[in-house]
């Protein structure tokens, strides 16, 4: 088998998660790693068992590298994705695709012109029961959608001393909780329901208006604590918590809440979709169970099991029922579809995976949510 050789750019929390998922695909080889300096790239590559290490410009010159994974801070996504496409590489980019709509639009256009495979890592679509909800909705089992209630709650920025580059707008953009985790929620909402969000009304809250920035390096989710003299006070302008009312193109409504300051909620995305026939409810912290609500008979629990889900969902499941699959499997299942396209050498006419166009869509919604919060008014998308 001629394996597709991949280079991964960035080694924070998500870069190694990409690498682990890619290593589970039989037709892919993680051949190279890239970091900001050659020395750091070599150190990280050695730690992750990768033979070749480069700076970004050097990586793009490697003719045998066919695909690039962009896993760097947000402000680098546009420039690095553009450079990789111009170098003839297929690109899988972390979200958000870019820092603004102009950059994202340019990337969508460039990707279309090159014909190269392009994807944005909205991996949470690939929980099998998320696809099952989509499949059941498409088959008419949910009926007309009355409402969507969603939340995405975390606690990794709960303390004033919790700090990360995502708190700095020049690196992550003007939105934080909405852009970081709300984007997943808005993407999976439209993916499952088939609805388009046409207007938003947002209200943000910055709980910690000043945070203690460590003067020493602390990795994301590490939980390390420093001494008082090891911090500097930094004003915070992005949101810790946000509520957003939604209007859909079918005339009905929804609401989402996102928070990075909810104690005890480590990474909890929760969806409740009510239709004229049933209600679907699902939570990412119990991803192998889906609750189905009925009015006139007993409610149901559907377990993730390839023998029980719809036929078009089975490709997202590797193990039998009772053998739980979770967050790491979502990236593997997404990359399986992306690399089937890369093996063909071009972007499919109708991709099953999230593309740069999807990245543009979520950036558009995020910008409208930001606009709404500033105006404290409804904003049309």
């Amino acid at each position: 088998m001629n394996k597709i050789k991949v280079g991964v750019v960035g080694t924070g929390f998500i870069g190694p998660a990409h690498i682990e998922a890619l290593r589970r695909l039989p037709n892919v080889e993680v051949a190279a790693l890239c970091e900001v300096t050659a020395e750091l790239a070599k150190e990280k590559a050695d730690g992750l068992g990768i033979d070749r290490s480069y700076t970004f410009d050097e990586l793009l010159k490697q003719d045998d590298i066919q695909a690039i994974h962009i896993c760097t801070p947000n402000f680098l996504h546009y420039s690095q994705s553009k450079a990789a496409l111009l170098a003839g590489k297929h690109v899988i980019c972390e979200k958000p695709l870019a820092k603004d709509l102009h950059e994202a639009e340019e990337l969508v256009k460039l990707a279309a012109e090159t014909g190269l495979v392009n994807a944005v890592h909205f991996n949470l679509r690939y929980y099998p029961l998320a696809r099952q909800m989509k499949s059941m909705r498409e088959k008419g089992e949910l009926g007309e959608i009355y409402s969507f209630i969603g939340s995405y709650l975390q606690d990794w920025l709960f303390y004033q001393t919790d700090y990360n580059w995502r708190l700095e707008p020049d690196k992550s953009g003007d939105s934080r909780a909405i852009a970081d985790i709300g984007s997943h929620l808005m993407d999976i909402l439209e993916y499952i329901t088939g609805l388009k969000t046409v207007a938003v009304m947002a209200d943000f809250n910055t709980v910690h208006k000043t945070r203690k920035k460590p003067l020493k390096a602390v990795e994301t989710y590490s939980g390390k604590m420093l001494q008082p003299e090891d911090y500097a006070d930094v004003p915070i302008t992005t949101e810790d918590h946000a509520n957003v009312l939604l209007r859909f193109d079918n005339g009905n409504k929804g609401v989402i809440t996102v928070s990075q300051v909810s104690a005890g909620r480590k990474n909890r995305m929760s969806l409740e979709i009510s239709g004229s026939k049933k209600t679907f409810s699902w939570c990412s912290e119990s991803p192998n169970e889906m609750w189905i609500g009925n009015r006139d008979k007993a409610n149901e629990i559907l377990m993730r099991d390839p023998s029980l889900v719809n036929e078009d969902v089975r490709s997202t499941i590797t193990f039998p029922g009772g053998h739980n699959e979770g967050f790491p499997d979502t990236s593997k299942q997404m990359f399986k579809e992306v690399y089937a396209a890369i093996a063909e050498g071009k972007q499919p006419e109708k991709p099953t995976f999230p593309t740069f166009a999807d990245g543009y869509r979520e950036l558009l919604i995020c910008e409208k949510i930001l606009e709404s919060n500033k105006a404290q008014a409804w904003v049309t998308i």
Side-chain angles (χ1 to χ4, degrees):
M1 179 188 295
N2 291 322
K3 292 192 174 184
I4 300 165
K5 292 188 177 180
V6 180
V8 175
V9 187
T11 59
F13 161 69
I14 204 64
H18 280 237
I19 291 167
E20 190 275 338
L22 289 166
R23 283 174 164 165
R24 297 167 69 190
L25 302 182
N27 63 329
V28 174
E29 176 189 347
V30 182
L33 190 67
C34 164
E35 257 298 349
V36 66
T37 66
E39 294 75 19
L40 183 59
K42 179 68 165 63
E43 176 190 335
K44 294 291 187 176
D46 288 346
L48 290 163
I50 297 170
D51 292 336
R52 296 155 60 186
S53 60
Y54 302 101
T55 59
F56 184 70
D57 290 342
E58 291 171 342
L59 177 63
L60 295 187
K61 294 174 184 175
Q62 307 306 308
D63 292 338
D64 63 331
I65 299 296
Q66 296 169 256
I68 302 286
H69 284 241
I70 307 295
C71 302
T72 48
N74 299 357
F75 74 100
L76 292 170
H77 292 179
Y78 161 73
S79 61
Q80 291 181 337
S81 294
K82 181 178 179 179
L85 287 171
L86 291 173
K89 313 296 187 185
H90 305 288
V91 179
I92 298 86
C93 184
E94 266 301 323
K95 49 79 196 161
L97 178 60
K99 281 187 71 178
D100 60 51
L101 287 173
H102 174 74
E103 289 182 348
E105 189 173 20
E106 184 182 344
L107 288 177
V108 171
K109 183 179 178 183
L110 179 61
E113 289 171 352
T114 63
L116 293 163
V117 174
N118 59 92
V120 175
H121 192 229
F122 285 122
N123 58 305
L124 303 190
R125 291 186 184 189
Y126 284 81
Y127 280 109
L129 293 179
R131 186 167 287 189
Q132 174 69 11
M133 286 186 278
K134 172 182 170 65
S135 177
M136 291 176 69
R137 187 268 303 168
E138 289 174 338
K139 294 178 185 301
E141 296 180 50
L142 182 60
E144 180 192 355
I145 295 172
Y146 289 166
S147 71
F148 180 97
I149 302 169
S151 65
Y152 202 143
L153 310 177
Q154 298 176 331
D155 72 356
W156 69 286
L157 292 173
F158 180 73
Y159 293 116
Q160 191 179 22
T161 50
D162 290 327
Y163 202 88
N164 181 269
W165 61 263
R166 290 173 178 83
L167 291 155
E168 300 173 6
D170 62 328
K171 296 182 178 67
S172 66
D174 292 333
S175 171
R176 178 178 18 107
I178 284 289
D180 189 24
I181 55 179
S183 57
H184 274 298
L185 196 54
M186 296 303 300
D187 176 73
I188 205 167
L189 182 170
E190 295 194 340
Y191 174 72
I192 292 172
T193 66
L195 299 175
K196 291 294 183 185
T197 306
V198 296
V200 294
M201 173 65 177
D203 194 22
F204 290 1
N205 187 24
T206 303
V207 174
H208 298 301
K209 294 175 176 57
T210 301
R211 284 183 181 266
K212 304 286 187 179
K213 181 178 181 178
L215 300 175
K216 299 178 180 179
V218 180
E219 293 185 358
T220 305
Y221 300 132
S222 67
K224 295 176 184 175
M225 297 298 290
L226 303 178
Q227 299 303 309
E229 63 271 18
D230 295 325
Y231 295 99
D233 286 345
V234 175
I236 301 299
T237 59
T238 54
E239 75 279 5
D240 292 316
H241 177 280
N243 299 308
V244 187
L245 296 174
L246 311 169
R247 291 175 178 164
F248 303 125
D249 57 354
N250 74 343
N252 287 324
K253 314 292 174 67
V255 61
I256 63 168
T257 295
V258 298
S259 174
Q260 294 176 319
V261 290
S262 294
R265 296 302 190 191
K266 303 306 177 185
N267 191 53
R268 185 182 191 273
M269 182 170 71
S270 177
L271 317 174
E272 184 145 326
I273 309 165
S274 294
S276 58
K277 295 181 179 178
K278 297 178 184 293
T279 293
F280 298 160
S281 183
W282 175 87
C283 173
S284 67
E285 289 189 346
S286 304
N288 293 277
E289 296 182 8
M290 169 187 167
W291 182 87
I292 303 171
N294 299 296
R295 168 64 187 263
D296 296 318
K297 63 176 183 177
N299 297 328
E300 306 162 74
I301 298 289
L302 173 63
M303 301 294 291
R304 180 211 53 82
D305 185 322
S307 68
L308 299 177
V309 299
N310 292 351
E311 186 176 354
D312 57 338
V313 178
R314 290 173 192 156
S315 64
T316 64
I317 301 176
T318 299
F319 298 104
H323 299 75
N324 288 341
E325 294 174 276
F327 179 81
D329 300 279
T330 62
S331 294
K332 182 191 80 169
Q333 299 296 351
M334 176 179 161
F335 296 159
K336 187 168 68 177
E337 294 184 356
V338 171
Y339 278 87
I342 291 175
E344 295 294 322
K346 61 181 181 179
Q347 186 82 342
E349 195 172 313
K350 293 183 178 179
T352 54
F353 51 85
T355 66
F356 278 15
D358 294 301
Y360 174 87
R361 171 71 183 167
E362 295 321 308
L363 202 61
L364 171 64
I365 295 172
C366 179
E367 291 209 358
K368 294 300 183 181
I369 289 173
L370 267 170
E371 183 182 334
S372 171
N373 176 67
K374 289 175 183 175
Q376 288 291 286
W378 282 96
V379 171
T380 301
I381 296 175

